[in-house]
Amino acid sequence: MSAASPAGGTLVARALRDVRGAFLGVGVLSGVSNLLMLTGPLFLIQIYDRVLTSRSVPTLAALCVLVMVLYAGLGLIEIVRGRVLTRIGDRLDETLGPAGFRLALELPLGAPPGRAGRPVGELDQIRGFLAGPGPIALCDLPWLPVYLVVVFAFHSWLGWLAVAGAVLLVGSTVANELALRGPVRHSADLALRRHDLMEAGRRNAEVLHAMGMVPAYAATWRRTDGEQTGLRRRIADIAGLHASFARVLRLALQAAVLALGALLVIRQELSPGVMIAASIVTSRALAPIEQAVAHWRGFIAARQARSRLEALLAVPPEAETMALPAPSRSLVVEHLAVAPPGSAQPVLREASFRLEAGQGLGVAGPSGSGKSSLARALVGSWPCLRGTIRLDGAELKQWRPEAIGRHIGYLPQDVELFDGTVAQNIARFEPHAPAEEVLAAARNANCHDMILHFPAGYDTRIGVDGTALSAGQRQRIGLARALYRRPFLIVLDEPNANLDREGEAALAAAILGARQGGAIVIVIAHRTQLLDTLDQLLIIKEGRVAALGPRAEVIARLKAPVE
């Protein structure tokens, strides 16, 4: 994913630059709208100072028709301006949404636990703000000086009174910014933590209920929820205080301008029509500031969301890579060191081995020795701190993930299936997947007959997380997914953990069939039944290779069954 370019800045900046013309159009519409807002005050002046004195009904009728036309135009402009802002948000979503979604899938592979952000959520925050009334108020703010000039044109005393009110409101806006900036950022962090706790609880609902962990886990969630609720309340109190102050100040200033205007009328320095018009113009001049203060919390949240999104997407651009031929000969691992994402402490060190097409490697060792870390590195899910992994002489990073992914089959310890049909899951959700390839993968995994006994066969919907299936069924469908389109490198992490005897026999047949087809098969196993299907054996202890070689020789050397 290319999130930055040398000439174009970050992806977010370029996306905003693409809608710059639309923002300019909103600015022009805001200018016309604010000029039309003067229709009411000018109409009042004409009524008081011309129509009432001349008692001319035709003049009144003409003025009424003109005002109605201008107000109709104002309404049309307001509708267009709101729709343009909504479509700006939609355009940003179209531009940044795919990159944000892909990044959301990549972040857990490269970020420490608890540090992955929510790029799609940040984008929703920005789009939601653009679709609300906040941007309208911000677009109207630059027209404050124009209204003040109009008030000064009525009388200098009225102008200075309006300026004093504007200064107080601007001061309130600055204070609002300083008071809300930190709490809004902390609230976003708590919201992410609260969401993660909820999602983890949903995924592990069976464990929580079975072992009576619901009250304790709920207490943990309530602590985070309570902290966020308290912070939200504090933010609402601060925002409400400043919004109420701005509203009261604007109303008081409008009354003060009316009172001062009355005094000037008494002194015959102002006409009654201008007095009322000045009050309305002053109120209109300060209304955008009041609206901005009321929606400042959303503005801060959107601004911080943009900063977080830029930070998440600010990765070096991927260089264009030449398409490589499908791997078909060898896998070479040299001096490999692997660590969890975001960590510099390797859990596997100096692993080296070589496998040719058709060979099978069993990986065994105590729990926590680094077996699953090796599996994740081999399929590219975890980064390599040191060393290389090569397929047919080319390092994994020389392939784009989409290109190499079709040549890799992976069955993790915890099999995750997705909401869709059995066929879609086996086909890795490939659009228009050939039915013969889906059937071949299922037959190679020896689960074709099992699938036919489902209510709708291959069209049976699995449901979220595959909860409609047993653990053994999920594992066998996951194996079929790993075998889809006959990949060259197949990595199976404890594939028989949830299988019965029949399932293990089917798995052994699938491994032998894949090897006979020229694939390299690597099996992480605690149980030794599958080792007979493999010709090489790797023993890992305390993060290092303890033994490596032909299976029979390694077992004889250890003089004990491998556990």
Side-chain angles (χ1 to χ4, degrees):
M1 174 187 61
S2 178
S5 66
T10 67
L11 181 62
V12 177
R14 285 190 284 122
L16 290 173
R17 197 159 50 243
D18 289 342
V19 295
R20 184 167 50 190
F23 275 121
L24 181 61
V26 171
V28 172
L29 291 174
S30 296
V32 177
S33 173
N34 280 274
L35 289 176
L36 290 176
M37 283 292 183
L38 295 173
T39 299
L42 295 177
F43 180 64
L44 281 173
I45 293 175
Q46 296 301 315
I47 291 294
Y48 274 88
D49 298 344
R50 174 173 296 183
V51 174
L52 294 182
T53 56
S54 67
R55 298 179 181 275
S56 172
V57 174
T59 301
L60 176 61
L63 288 173
C64 288
V65 171
L66 178 61
V67 166
M68 291 303 105
V69 171
L70 293 176
Y71 275 148
L74 175 61
L76 180 62
I77 288 174
E78 292 293 314
I79 293 173
V80 172
R81 182 167 63 164
R83 291 188 175 184
V84 170
L85 284 170
T86 300
R87 281 149 182 78
I88 288 175
D90 292 343
R91 178 66 180 273
L92 291 176
D93 186 64
E94 291 174 3
T95 304
L96 300 176
F101 179 74
R102 178 166 178 174
L103 182 62
L105 301 182
E106 294 176 352
L107 278 173
L109 306 179
R115 294 290 301 278
R118 290 195 301 148
V120 177
E122 309 294 5
L123 183 57
D124 287 342
Q125 181 78 52
I126 298 172
R127 184 177 57 182
F129 174 74
L130 289 174
I136 300 293
L138 295 179
C139 290
D140 289 341
L141 274 177
W143 289 88
L144 171 62
V146 174
Y147 286 108
L148 293 180
V149 168
V150 173
V151 177
F152 267 104
F154 292 151
H155 198 282
S156 61
W157 290 8
L158 297 175
W160 287 117
L161 182 58
V163 168
V167 169
L168 287 175
L169 283 177
V170 170
S172 176
T173 304
V174 173
N176 199 20
E177 160 75 20
L178 296 176
L180 288 178
R181 187 185 304 167
V184 169
R185 182 182 296 111
H186 190 200
S187 178
D189 294 339
L190 287 174
L192 178 59
R193 191 189 315 168
R194 178 176 176 270
H195 174 270
D196 290 343
L197 285 170
M198 177 69 76
E199 187 62 22
R202 185 192 65 80
R203 289 197 309 267
N204 298 279
E206 288 185 11
V207 174
L208 294 175
H209 283 277
M211 295 192 293
M213 295 171 59
V214 172
Y217 193 81
T220 302
W221 182 85
R222 280 198 303 271
R223 282 194 295 271
T224 302
D225 182 63
E227 188 176 354
Q228 192 199 15
T229 299
L231 195 57
R232 280 202 310 261
R233 184 164 52 244
R234 178 186 169 195
I235 292 172
D237 289 345
I238 294 173
L241 173 66
H242 287 278
S244 298
F245 173 76
R247 179 173 177 78
V248 170
L249 179 61
R250 183 176 67 85
L251 293 174
L253 188 64
Q254 185 178 5
V257 168
L258 193 60
L260 180 58
L263 176 62
L264 294 174
V265 170
I266 293 173
R267 297 179 53 171
Q268 297 185 349
E269 297 182 28
L270 214 64
S271 68
V274 173
M275 172 191 71
I276 298 177
S279 175
I280 295 175
V281 172
T282 302
S283 177
R284 174 57 197 166
L286 302 182
I289 305 180
E290 178 192 343
Q291 291 295 316
V293 171
H295 297 95
W296 204 256
R297 172 174 51 177
F299 170 68
I300 294 176
R303 189 183 64 205
Q304 292 178 354
R306 176 192 170 178
S307 299
R308 289 190 295 268
L309 188 60
E310 284 187 321
L312 289 170
L313 293 175
V315 297
E318 290 183 353
E320 291 295 327
T321 57
M322 179 180 292
L324 297 175
S328 60
R329 301 192 308 273
S330 65
L331 166 69
V332 178
V333 177
E334 297 177 329
H335 307 293
L336 183 65
V338 183
S343 173
Q345 185 63 34
V347 293
L348 179 68
R349 305 171 182 83
E350 295 299 321
S352 298
F353 57 88
R354 179 187 181 93
L355 296 172
E356 302 295 336
Q359 286 191 305
L361 174 67
V363 181
S367 297
S369 58
K371 302 186 301 298
S372 293
S373 301
L374 172 61
R376 294 182 179 113
L378 290 174
V379 299
S381 294
W382 278 17
C384 303
L385 290 182
R386 294 183 299 277
T388 58
I389 300 172
R390 297 180 182 274
L391 289 172
D392 288 2
E395 290 190 53
L396 284 183
K397 62 184 178 182
Q398 294 183 23
W399 275 280
R400 293 185 64 85
E402 296 82 359
I404 191 59
R406 65 175 300 173
H407 304 299
I408 292 178
Y410 179 45
L411 181 67
Q413 284 187 30
D414 299 320
V415 181
E416 292 281 352
L417 300 179
F418 304 97
D419 188 15
T421 66
V422 172
Q424 286 176 320
N425 275 271
I426 292 176
R428 308 182 185 186
F429 283 84
E430 177 185 307
H432 312 295
E436 59 272 15
E437 292 290 349
V438 175
L439 293 171
R443 289 193 175 101
N444 291 337
N446 290 285
C447 63
H448 173 70
D449 292 336
M450 178 193 76
I451 294 173
L452 293 181
H453 283 83
F454 290 163
Y458 283 88
D459 294 322
T460 301
R461 295 199 69 86
I462 290 177
V464 178
D465 297 333
T467 53
L469 306 177
S470 69
Q473 289 172 328
R474 289 199 298 271
Q475 199 150 34
R476 294 178 71 175
I477 292 175
L479 176 61
R481 180 178 63 188
L483 299 178
Y484 178 68
R485 286 192 180 275
R486 301 171 182 84
F488 173 65
L489 175 61
I490 300 172
V491 180
L492 310 177
D493 193 352
E494 296 193 33
N496 56 346
N498 299 303
L499 299 181
D500 54 17
R501 182 174 300 178
E502 179 186 350
E504 283 200 0
L507 174 61
I511 293 173
L512 289 173
R515 289 182 57 195
Q516 291 170 0
I520 292 175
V521 182
I522 299 176
V523 180
I524 315 294
H526 274 296
R527 291 149 60 178
T528 59
Q529 290 88 335
L530 289 178
L531 296 183
D532 291 340
T533 64
L534 309 165
D535 57 352
Q536 302 290 312
L537 183 59
L538 171 67
I539 307 298
I540 300 178
K541 291 183 179 180
E542 297 179 353
R544 294 184 181 276
V545 175
L548 173 63
R551 173 177 53 83
E553 292 182 11
V554 172
I555 292 177
R557 197 183 316 150
L558 295 175
K559 297 181 181 180
V562 178
E563 296 183 0

